[in-house]
Amino acid sequence: MAETRTTRPQAAEAPPSPFALQARLAEIYRQRCAAAVQGCLDATLAAQEAWAAALKPVTPAEALGDAATYWADFAQRSLLFWDTMRRRGNDWLAHEAAGKPPLLAFAWEIVADARGFARPANYALARILPPDGVAIDADKRPYVIIDPRAGHGPGIGGFKPDSEVGVALQAGHPVYVVIFFPEPVPGQTLADVAQAEAAFLRLVSERHPTRGRPVVVGNCQGGWAAMLVGALDPEHAGPLVINGAPMSYWAGNDAENPMRYAGGLLGGSWPALLASDLGGGVFDGAHLVENFEYLNPANTHFGKAYTLFSKIDTEPARFIDFERWWGGYYLMNREEIRWIVDNLFVGNRLAAGRAEWEDGRIFDLRAIRSPIILFASLGDNITPPQQAFNWVADLYPTTADLKANGQVIVGLMHESVGHLGIFVSGSVARREHAQIVDLLDYIEHLPPGLYGMKVEETGQGIGAGAGPRYDVVLRELEVEDLQRLQKYARKDEVPFEAVRQVSELNAAAYEAFVHPVVSAWVPREAGAALRALHPLRARRWALSDLNPALASVAPFADLARAHRVHRDEAGFWAATERRSAAGITAAWDFYRQMRDAAAENLFYATYATLSNVLPRPEEAAAATGGAPDLLRDAMSRLAEGGFTDAAVRACLLVARLGRRERRLSTFKRIRELAGRDIGLLDRTASEAARIVRQQAAIVEHAPDEAMASLPDLVRTAGERRRLLDILDRLGGQLALGPEQRALLGRFSDLLAPAPAPVPAGEHRRKAG
């Protein structure tokens, strides 16, 4: 019988009265304004103190020399800065003329093009060609990496040698990347895209008939795309690695995550529809990139340029490489962006089980059968951890519900890296992503549950140039622990339901009264002209050789490079420059904090009040999607199975009495000592996972019966000796606690080799 679940009880609680809410909002706004002022003063004072500390007594001649070298350096840096901006513009024009190919640091070839599918989409499957010196192991499962289509083009997962693509190749895995083209196929929908990606996954499975199904890695928007594929085709999707992916768009903390209010402040989805109509039926990805830049005006309007200016001798190559990707704006069809906004940005329907990919057919995330790794960062202001993790509690209200569905979810939290750093940081690739790749060889042998993953440095590698060594620690958690990420137990998400209703009303009005007029008067060609004039594009082509004022800068920049004069970093003028830069940054940060505080105050004042007067929707009961009742099935097979089932059960019984932490190094040691003997490695990954899930359910819910019925699974003297030998080997090599060692003694008594096969249940009669 299909079970049902209800949504979290907080959503049903009555919001505070408008008067109490207004008083609370006014106090929060006052506190945030005071904090913004104090932060600006503190930053300015710190810059002043640093400037004063840098000053030192100098003679008039030294002061004159410092001024001369600084201003000569300043003039040269200015020339080199504008030459770099010119080169960026030329590079952007060349990339546009080449059709904006994927910016991968590896050679690649297309193996399937979805533009020719029965349901066409502007997607393709590319195989990464391994670089020289990298050997691919034909027995290792392939990786399929899905990059985000959120304004930019593909390539972020393989942007550098130290990347998700790089670490998977170095581990010997075949790697594929799902790429997409700048222009959507006319009429394509998100359902077409999901179907194309599912077809790619089936193709990869056919090309690599390994023991394990393909690993699917999704970055940012590509993360929820990977989840959709896992729900559509669970038979071909292996472990899912979801990096910085926003799944619960209403989630976040006040004063930290202003982007979640954008949909409400804009009135819902109608601005995206208007932008699509003005684009001739096509939505410009530059609008999404502009939203990202809006989050941090200090970096957008000053910090990025000043970093280039202050490090002009070393920064240009990195700056131009990154800007090539950051400035490659891709397009979406009107229906694609509408589905995204309605179902994710504003509607938050995916985790609630209401996101339809066709009429009456929903994306049921509970249908995913593979383990899921979620990677988020506390320093990510685009996809905060709450948006990356909260869907788990929406989908599985309790830990028992999660385990009953046989699901394994692992959460990894970085302390500080920003959103893009999750994908492009070389240090993150070498540490976190490399350990994820290592863990995936073992993750399907984990019992169902929610785990927290931590990467620990354990020492230095051996040999010249060797980096640090790491170990992965998995600690079993409760779904209820996710509440610790929240300030208000998610009560602050109540007003977002009002946003959804307002969005639907505004979108209906727009479609009825505005869309017919705008779409009739704006042809597709006019949309292309408007896109060319978008500020993010204009600042690139305007600062290129197309601009006569910059076309002549190159020879002067070459002359400056040949005769560089470097300022004294400890001098008065260099210190004054740093103080000025810190003051400008502090001013921009003050503006951002005041702006975000005002926007948040306006959002809650509007929508929290509306949530009192708008009709409350009935709480929807989301079906389990026909997931099997794992516990009932497992308990009905308590005395069924063979040697592998018995060995897994015995190991789980021992692990149950130990610490809640599991180490990757321990998994490796167990595989080394007894992996082949247990029998899981001779089976497909899905069959091995099925055995582990079944035995874990039995051990957790009926440990005494699991122990008592163990002889029914190993009935011959030879099998019992084999199992006891495995347990003795593991007990002699692993650090076990007293209770675990006592249990090993009970195994010896229970599984004393019998001279002949023992009928099922015979040991119980003797025990009685």
Side-chain angles (χ1 to χ4, degrees), residues 180-322:
F180 41 91
F181 302 99
E183 298 274 351
V185 174
Q188 82 177 37
T189 65
L190 259 296
D192 298 329
V193 171
Q195 292 282 12
E197 290 172 335
F200 294 156
L201 203 59
R202 291 191 292 272
L203 176 61
V204 172
S205 298
E206 293 169 2
R207 291 170 63 97
H208 301 275
T210 58
R211 174 185 165 275
R213 295 170 293 181
V215 175
V216 185
V217 180
N219 296 322
C220 188
Q221 178 270 349
W224 57 255
M227 295 287 284
L228 300 187
V229 173
L232 276 180
D233 194 355
E235 296 304 316
H236 291 92
L240 304 176
V241 182
I242 311 301
N243 301 313
M247 298 285 293
S248 297
Y249 279 85
W250 293 354
N253 283 331
D254 62 10
E256 295 177 10
N257 310 124
M259 184 175 280
R260 66 181 183 142
Y261 307 122
L265 295 174
L266 293 172
S269 62
W270 75 266
L273 302 178
L274 175 61
S276 300
D277 290 339
L278 292 175
V282 175
F283 182 81
D284 187 359
H287 297 311
L288 298 176
V289 179
E290 198 170 36
N291 286 339
F292 299 147
E293 295 200 338
Y294 164 89
L295 282 176
N296 190 352
N299 183 67
T300 298
H301 300 302
F302 177 73
K304 187 189 300 186
Y306 180 69
T307 299
L308 174 64
F309 178 71
S310 62
K311 302 177 180 179
I312 198 62
D313 297 304
T314 58
E315 184 70 6
R318 190 209 65 81
F319 175 81
I320 290 174
D321 281 348
F322 179 77

Side-chain angles (χ1 to χ4, degrees), residues 494-729:
V494 171
F496 288 89
E497 176 58 36
V499 174
R500 184 188 64 78
Q501 296 181 56
V502 169
S503 176
E504 291 176 354
L505 291 172
N506 288 345
Y510 177 87
E511 294 285 29
F513 301 111
V514 182
H515 169 64
V517 177
V518 178
S519 60
W521 282 89
V522 180
R524 198 175 183 90
E525 295 74 17
L530 287 174
R531 286 193 290 275
L533 296 175
H534 191 285
L536 295 186
R537 289 187 179 85
R539 73 178 60 165
R540 284 167 170 78
W541 56 256
L543 299 179
S544 70
D545 282 346
L546 296 178
N547 185 339
L550 288 178
S552 59
V553 167
F556 295 101
D558 291 339
L559 184 65
R561 287 190 192 92
H563 301 86
R564 279 290 278 130
V565 175
H566 294 283
R567 66 194 180 278
D568 179 5
E569 293 292 346
F572 168 82
W573 289 101
T576 301
E577 178 189 301
R578 292 192 293 270
R579 182 187 66 174
S580 300
I584 295 171
T585 300
W588 275 113
D589 285 340
F590 172 72
Y591 158 75
R592 173 183 55 80
Q593 292 177 57
M594 295 295 290
R595 178 202 67 188
D596 292 347
E600 185 176 79
N601 188 71
L602 176 61
F603 175 89
Y604 281 111
T606 303
Y607 289 103
T609 302
L610 282 176
S611 65
N612 275 310
V613 298
L614 289 175
R616 299 294 300 272
E618 293 184 4
E619 299 296 340
T624 63
D629 188 337
L630 178 64
L631 178 58
R632 187 187 305 114
D633 180 68
M635 295 307 296
S636 69
R637 302 174 185 275
L638 185 68
E640 298 178 13
F643 180 83
T644 299
D645 302 83
V648 170
R649 184 184 299 183
C651 290
L652 289 173
L653 285 166
V654 174
R656 175 177 170 273
L657 299 179
R659 300 174 61 187
R660 291 172 63 87
E661 292 183 352
R662 295 171 168 85
R663 287 185 171 269
L664 179 57
S665 56
T666 303
F667 289 139
K668 292 180 177 180
R669 186 63 177 148
I670 291 173
R671 178 172 291 189
E672 177 186 334
L673 290 170
R676 291 293 173 188
D677 294 337
I678 290 176
L680 287 178
L681 299 182
D682 297 327
R683 302 170 185 264
T684 65
S686 56
E687 174 63 15
R690 184 197 63 77
I691 292 174
V692 172
R693 286 197 302 266
Q694 186 179 86
Q695 296 305 319
I698 293 172
V699 168
E700 178 167 357
H701 292 277
D704 293 337
E705 291 85 345
M707 184 73 176
S709 60
L710 191 61
D712 289 335
L713 278 61
V714 279
R715 300 176 184 173
T716 68
E719 286 183 335
R720 294 186 178 188
R721 278 194 295 268
R722 278 181 61 201
L723 180 53
L724 290 174
D725 179 62
I726 290 173
L727 295 174
D728 286 343
R729 263 183 283 158

Side-chain angles (χ1 to χ4, degrees), residues 108-416:
W108 52 276
E109 63 179 7
I110 291 180
V111 296
D113 190 334
R115 291 176 295 185
F117 287 6
R119 297 180 63 167
N122 67 328
Y123 277 66
L125 179 68
R127 181 177 77 92
I128 299 296
L129 305 178
D132 293 339
V134 174
I136 299 301
D137 188 340
D139 292 330
K140 289 195 172 184
R141 68 167 97 217
Y143 273 62
V144 178
I145 296 175
I146 304 177
D147 275 340
R149 184 170 164 233
H152 306 101
I156 199 70
F159 197 62
K160 299 188 295 188
D162 285 332
S163 60
E164 297 162 357
V165 171
V167 296
L169 287 173
Q170 289 295 333
H173 295 272
V175 178
Y176 294 80
V177 175
V178 175
I179 64 173
F180 41 91
F181 302 99
E183 298 274 351
V185 174
Q188 82 177 37
T189 65
L190 259 296
D192 298 329
V193 171
Q195 292 282 12
E197 290 172 335
F200 294 156
L201 203 59
R202 291 191 292 272
L203 176 61
V204 172
S205 298
E206 293 169 2
R207 291 170 63 97
H208 301 275
T210 58
R211 174 185 165 275
R213 295 170 293 181
V215 175
V216 185
V217 180
N219 296 322
C220 188
Q221 178 270 349
W224 57 255
M227 295 287 284
L228 300 187
V229 173
L232 276 180
D233 194 355
E235 296 304 316
H236 291 92
L240 304 176
V241 182
I242 311 301
N243 301 313
M247 298 285 293
S248 297
Y249 279 85
W250 293 354
N253 283 331
D254 62 10
E256 295 177 10
N257 310 124
M259 184 175 280
R260 66 181 183 142
Y261 307 122
L265 295 174
L266 293 172
S269 62
W270 75 266
L273 302 178
L274 175 61
S276 300
D277 290 339
L278 292 175
V282 175
F283 182 81
D284 187 359
H287 297 311
L288 298 176
V289 179
E290 198 170 36
N291 286 339
F292 299 147
E293 295 200 338
Y294 164 89
L295 282 176
N296 190 352
N299 183 67
T300 298
H301 300 302
F302 177 73
K304 187 189 300 186
Y306 180 69
T307 299
L308 174 64
F309 178 71
S310 62
K311 302 177 180 179
I312 198 62
D313 297 304
T314 58
E315 184 70 6
R318 190 209 65 81
F319 175 81
I320 290 174
D321 281 348
F322 179 77
E323 285 290 297
R324 186 184 301 123
W325 176 77
W326 188 252
Y329 311 117
Y330 280 51
L331 310 179
M332 293 185 187
N333 279 339
R334 186 178 193 270
E335 287 306 312
E336 290 182 287
I337 190 64
R338 178 167 191 173
W339 191 95
I340 292 172
V341 174
D342 285 346
N343 286 278
L344 301 175
F345 295 167
V346 173
N348 201 38
R349 292 188 174 101
L350 183 59
R354 296 194 301 266
E356 295 185 354
W357 60 279
E358 285 183 344
D359 288 341
R361 305 178 72 179
I362 65 170
F363 289 106
D364 182 8
L365 299 185
R366 292 177 69 109
I368 296 173
R369 311 303 325 147
S370 302
I372 302 169
I373 292 182
L374 304 174
F375 183 16
S377 173
L378 292 172
D380 187 346
N381 65 340
I382 292 177
T383 302
Q386 294 86 357
Q387 292 187 9
F389 294 135
N390 276 5
W391 67 271
V392 177
D394 288 340
L395 207 62
Y396 302 105
T398 67
T399 304
D401 196 25
L402 174 70
K403 292 184 175 182
N405 203 49
Q407 185 58 265
V408 173
I409 297 179
V410 177
L412 170 61
M413 184 84 78
H414 197 281
E415 292 294 324
S416 60

